[in-house]
Amino acid sequence: MADISKVRAKIEELRRLIRRHDYLYYVLDRPEVSDAEYDKLYQELKRLEEAHPDLITPDSPTQRVGGQPVEGFAQVQHKVAMLSLDNAYSADEVREFEARIKRALPGERFTYVAEAKVDGLSVALLYEQGRLVRGATRGDGRTGEDVTLNLMKVRSIPHRLDGPLAKFNVLEVRGEVFMWRQGFERLKRKLEEEGEEPFANPRNAAAGPVRPKDPQITAARPLDIFVYGVSHAEPDPFTSHYQAMHQLHESGFRIHSKGEKNMLERYRRRCGDIEAAIEACREVEEARDKLGCDCDGVVLKVDSIEQERRLGSTTHHPRWAIAYKFPAQQATTIIKKIEISVGRTGALTPTAELEPVEIAGATISRATLHNADEIERLDVREGDTVLIERAGDVIPHILQVVTEKRRPRTKPFSFPNRCPVCGAEAFRPEGEVVSRCTNSACPARLKQSLLHFGSRRAMDIEHLGDAVVEQLVDRSLVKEFADLYGLDVKTLADLERLAEKSATNLSRAIQGSKRQGLGRLLFALGIRYVGEHVAAILAQHYGSMDRLEKAPEEELAEIYGIGPRIAQSVALYFRQPENRRQIEQLRKAGVKMREEGVTAGPRPLAGKIFVLTGGLEGFSRDEAKELIVRQGGRVTSSVSKKTDYVVVGKDPGSKDDDAKRLGVPTLDEAAFKKLIGKA
Ligand code: AMP
Ligand code: ZN
């Protein structure tokens, strides 16, 4: 038997680590280890405590659910605790689970429901008489945070239930808010386009936005919910878990997966006995990569609610459910080299080039290292043996270095403080994780900028691919965007691997792109935080580059959908003489600087502040906003003395009363139409 003081020290160490990871995961939404790694720590602690029960203390992470609510949101006490789940890692452990419940309820038969264990953020939604009155996070399982406003922005969370559950006095629904991988990839591209830092994986991307102070951020994320339980119901007619879930779907909780009719069948199914349940686990595991979301296991639940009640829960988990966890998709391999690439915004991004290795059928030869901090945290060095993990289609990442296998005399990787391409100084602003090349004429940045400029959703220049851009920059034929428009067919045909015909096509595509209009042009310029959507708003609002260039920062910030951060970035961009000069060159080259269909004429609503309440018949909320903004007005969310008009539609909320109280004029739909010239 090991020296007891050593065991004690080990236990303390594990507890300390687990608490730290709990804090990172639940409170900061910035986990540093994979769930598999965390589970390993947890299991090891549990094993040690089981062997030395006298060392168990009430504050051990094994004795509670983990996490503390962050300050700032109102706290919510969960009437029914949001517990963890007990885990099984093999078919035999699942069978042991059944043996346990059979001992607890001798002679009874059990049927099961097998559900995907979707990896996101768990929430509790409280409905009263069918209306969503509160949404809360899990927090530490007993106390969570009130994030009602944010959850209301998740499209698939109904504000009102319809169907069988609408009349219930009280109904508390539990579910997992998550992001589809497709949506995650789209979001990632969008953030990159805007020069923002993308998230490492869908879980982080989903967990963060449930809790920002600004519900608009939640709204902008493609979030969905997978409901998995009813924790409280008045009246309480449910006899089967499966039936309860079915009714929830009937009442408005719908999975928003496009075109997949029997999607739900994949995520939740009934199993007649434990062997059928084990088979379901295997099937979901096999389909794991095709599920479209992050799923790290299958939860098996006893279907009979009445049996569930009699089985009850421990302080940590319900006894009537078990999570079958998939084996991690991990492997070890060697880092051949750490490569630094330079992006459009100058961001220096490290990638590990690996000795190719197979994980679950895919050959992996690269892994992301995110940034300098990550390299330092892991202390990865070239030549190291590392443990890597693959989750879904996202590029694999490194979990840890296998230090026992480290070769002698290796040095820590020193992150370059100069751009690896042009040699200019790399700058990392205080508080940011990314360092960037400071040379605006850096060839690497220029190449990426040109590729972005010509990309499909920007200026849409077909045939302007990597190989062409590479040569154009290396041969100094293009030093800025406008140079593209001076290229003739002959020059292009001189490029390697570009035949006469392709040169003609490319030239035609370049010249054709001049007519794209202001919106696409703004996006193409690659101004920080100006993605496709923001570019379109600016183009709609100003109609021409001239007017946008002159717009003061305060005015930009007032535009609906812009906000102070984007306004600052846009204003800063147009203050740089170099940027203005480049735009002037584009203008001279004949690039269109206007947006079609936007009147540059007088803006009759300039300076007027609107509040909208209730539903309009002729337009959606967004269309109404758009019309107001286009004519120079703006829309705010609450009525104050500064409000000029409150537009009152059908079933208006309290804003109508606010307007009357403050003496703000109200407009019905007809009057509104007249004002905006649509009557
Ligand atoms: P854990 O915290 O890993 O022990 O697992 C419990 C958590 O799994 C719950 O709090 C939920 O957030 C999550 N979860 C995901 N899918 C399901 C599901 N189908 N049933 C129950 N919990 C689920
Ligand atoms: Zn550079």
Side-chain angles (χ1 to χ4, degrees):
M1 170 104 294
D3 181 352
I4 193 74
S5 68
K6 271 198 188 135
V7 175
R8 197 188 297 268
K10 183 72 197 163
I11 285 183
E12 275 313 313
E13 165 75 8
L14 286 166
R15 286 178 185 163
R16 197 184 53 73
L17 276 171
I18 290 171
R19 280 195 198 106
R20 177 174 145 71
H21 291 312
D22 277 346
Y23 178 75
L24 289 165
Y25 183 99
Y26 290 106
V27 180
L28 301 183
D29 289 326
R30 288 237 165 262
E32 285 182 357
V33 294
S34 70
D35 289 359
E37 270 184 284
Y38 179 91
D39 275 356
K40 236 188 278 164
L41 295 173
Y42 193 89
Q43 293 304 330
E44 195 183 344
L45 176 62
K46 225 166 105 177
R47 203 173 41 75
L48 283 173
E49 288 185 343
E50 269 159 20
H52 304 271
D54 49 316
L55 296 182
I56 298 180
T57 54
D59 68 346
S60 170
T62 57
Q63 308 301 304
R64 59 176 176 86
V65 191
Q68 301 131 37
V70 86
E71 270 175 57
F73 281 102
Q75 296 199 341
V76 171
Q77 301 297 328
H78 296 300
K79 282 215 183 74
V80 181
M82 296 182 80
L83 299 177
S84 260
L85 289 165
D86 202 10
N87 294 327
Y89 296 91
S90 65
D92 276 344
E93 289 185 32
V94 172
R95 292 188 188 105
E96 277 165 30
F97 158 74
E98 181 170 68
R100 278 199 298 278
I101 59 177
K102 283 199 159 153
R103 277 198 298 277
L105 304 179
E108 296 191 22
R109 275 200 67 237
F110 298 94
T111 60
Y112 301 93
V113 178
E115 284 174 356
K117 187 170 192 295
V118 176
D119 198 7
L121 190 81
S122 49
V123 299
L125 304 167
L126 184 64
Y127 288 88
E128 286 175 6
Q129 272 95 31
R131 265 176 191 274
L132 176 61
V133 295
R134 194 184 70 199
T137 61
R138 169 173 163 185
D140 67 359
R142 323 224 170 245
T143 311
E145 295 162 334
D146 187 329
V147 288
T148 313
L149 291 177
N150 295 18
L151 290 177
M152 283 188 153
K153 300 284 181 188
V154 176
R155 261 189 328 156
S156 45
I157 296 182
H159 296 186
R160 249 170 206 260
L161 298 176
D162 44 45
L165 304 179
K167 298 219 162 56
F168 277 50
N169 286 330
V170 181
L171 187 74
E172 196 187 66
V173 179
R174 302 250 166 113
E176 193 86 354
V177 171
F178 70 101
M179 199 177 286
W180 292 99
R181 259 190 225 132
Q182 239 190 357
F184 169 72
E185 288 300 327
R186 234 179 291 130
L187 174 69
K188 197 168 124 186
R189 251 179 282 131
K190 182 170 166 279
L191 292 179
E192 277 164 1
E193 273 161 11
E194 293 172 5
E196 285 228 63
E197 260 223 76
F199 294 90
N201 57 50
R203 208 208 79 89
N204 289 12
V210 170
R211 301 168 53 232
K213 279 282 156 185
D214 177 5
Q216 291 302 341
I217 297 179
T218 320
R221 297 277 151 83
L223 296 172
D224 208 332
I225 187 166
F226 176 69
V227 287
Y228 59 71
V230 169
S231 49
H232 182 75
E234 288 172 29
D236 190 349
F238 301 119
T239 56
S240 128
H241 173 69
Y242 188 84
Q243 168 220 4
M245 294 303 100
H246 186 73
Q247 292 206 7
L248 282 181
H249 292 300
E250 300 274 285
S251 300
F253 284 98
R254 289 183 188 99
I255 279 209
H256 274 278
S257 168
K258 282 168 206 90
E260 267 227 60
K261 273 232 183 71
N262 48 9
M263 189 73 173
L264 275 178
E265 172 63 15
R266 276 218 192 136
Y267 287 84
R268 177 176 290 123
R269 75 173 78 151
R270 271 179 144 146
C271 310
D273 58 27
I274 200 72
E275 292 309 316
I278 289 169
E279 186 50 33
C281 292
R282 291 218 177 91
E283 278 174 34
V284 180
E285 184 172 347
E286 244 160 66
R288 184 177 182 185
D289 277 351
K290 294 184 211 97
L291 285 177
C293 64
D294 282 357
C295 166
D296 58 352
V298 176
V299 186
L300 300 179
K301 298 175 177 171
V302 169
D303 189 32
S304 156
I305 305 259
E306 189 268 327
Q307 283 175 327
E308 283 186 6
R309 269 195 203 119
R310 283 187 291 132
L311 286 165
S313 304
T314 70
T315 50
H316 179 262
H317 59 259
R319 289 197 190 86
W320 42 266
I322 187 108
Y324 166 76
K325 289 288 200 66
F326 299 149
Q329 298 192 307
Q330 298 177 349
T332 52
T333 186
I334 292 172
I335 297 194
K336 292 202 289 192
K337 197 165 183 290
I338 295 174
E339 287 254 297
I340 310 278
S341 63
V342 184
R344 176 168 62 80
T345 61
L348 269 44
T349 313
T351 319
E353 249 188 68
L354 307 169
E355 207 63 78
V357 59
E358 202 153 304
I359 307 183
T363 306
I364 309 295
S365 53
R366 299 165 75 75
T368 118
L369 279 166
H370 302 297
N371 51 52
D373 283 0
E374 177 75 355
I375 294 181
E376 201 178 309
R377 182 179 78 76
L378 294 166
D379 181 24
V380 275
R381 307 174 183 189
E382 292 180 336
D384 269 351
T385 302
V386 289
L387 180 66
I388 60 173
E389 181 178 54
R390 183 171 95 104
D393 319 323
V394 290
I395 167 159
H397 64 279
I398 293 174
L399 291 176
Q400 66 189 62
V401 175
V402 185
T403 30
E404 303 86 68
K405 293 206 179 163
R406 174 168 284 164
R407 297 190 201 133
R409 286 187 300 281
T410 54
K411 286 202 198 75
F413 182 77
S414 74
F415 201 85
N417 48 19
R418 298 199 158 270
C419 171
V421 176
C422 73
E425 192 187 330
F427 178 65
R428 176 175 168 180
E430 183 91 23
E432 285 194 25
V433 289
V434 180
S435 43
R436 293 173 203 270
C437 167
T438 48
N439 172 11
S440 62
C442 170
R445 292 180 61 178
L446 179 58
K447 284 173 193 171
Q448 295 302 321
S449 301
L450 288 168
L451 284 170
H452 172 74
F453 187 84
S455 64
R456 201 168 45 79
R457 281 157 34 236
M459 298 302 266
D460 192 17
I461 306 177
E462 238 190 305
H463 317 292
L464 187 69
D466 284 318
V468 173
V469 166
E470 189 83 29
Q471 297 181 63
L472 290 175
V473 174
D474 289 347
R475 299 188 190 185
S476 300
L477 291 167
V478 173
K479 297 204 178 68
E480 60 182 272
F481 298 132
D483 294 341
L484 284 172
Y485 296 100
L487 296 167
D488 53 22
V489 179
K490 199 184 151 302
T491 315
L492 290 173
D494 273 349
L495 299 180
E496 259 164 60
R497 285 187 296 166
L498 209 65
E500 185 88 31
K501 182 151 175 286
S502 335
T504 314
N505 287 340
L506 175 56
S507 169
R508 210 173 276 149
I510 292 174
Q511 297 306 321
S513 74
K514 288 177 181 170
R515 293 187 295 272
Q516 293 290 13
L518 183 61
R520 279 171 173 266
L521 176 61
L522 287 174
F523 175 50
L525 291 174
I527 304 166
R528 189 158 190 209
Y529 303 138
V530 179
E532 214 180 350
H533 178 65
V534 169
I537 295 180
L538 292 172
Q540 283 298 327
H541 193 92
Y542 289 101
S544 78
M545 187 69 90
D546 287 340
R547 290 178 47 179
L548 174 60
E549 276 179 333
K550 290 187 203 101
E553 184 175 329
E554 308 76 64
E555 184 181 303
L556 287 161
E558 300 276 281
I559 300 170
Y560 184 78
I562 299 295
R565 188 191 57 158
I566 300 172
Q568 188 185 30
S569 167
V570 173
L572 184 70
Y573 179 88
F574 285 112
R575 274 205 299 274
Q576 312 298 318
E578 171 58 17
N579 293 335
R580 279 177 180 260
R581 192 193 59 77
Q582 288 208 21
I583 290 171
E584 198 43 44
Q585 292 303 110
L586 285 167
R587 194 194 307 271
K588 278 192 198 141
V591 174
K592 186 163 145 190
M593 301 271 155
R594 291 185 168 283
E595 190 68 2
E596 212 64 68
V598 182
T599 45
R603 295 186 299 154
L605 302 183
K608 296 279 187 257
I609 300 175
F610 287 74
V611 171
L612 304 173
T613 177
L616 300 173
E617 271 167 17
F619 347 69
S620 72
R621 216 14 110 76
D622 286 338
E623 282 164 353
K625 276 178 191 163
E626 181 60 46
L627 287 165
I628 294 169
V629 167
R630 208 184 282 185
Q631 301 195 22
R634 64 190 176 94
V635 178
T636 62
S637 55
S638 56
V639 185
S640 75
K641 280 191 197 131
K642 285 194 209 149
T643 312
D644 292 287
Y645 299 105
V646 175
V647 180
V648 182
K650 262 215 173 113
D651 292 329
S654 59
K655 291 169 195 169
D656 187 20
D657 306 329
D658 295 342
K660 295 206 175 85
R661 193 164 40 79
L662 293 167
V664 175
T666 56
L667 301 172
D668 61 10
E669 182 156 350
F672 174 60
K673 275 177 151 170
K674 209 162 157 194
L675 183 73
I676 58 171
K678 296 271 168 191

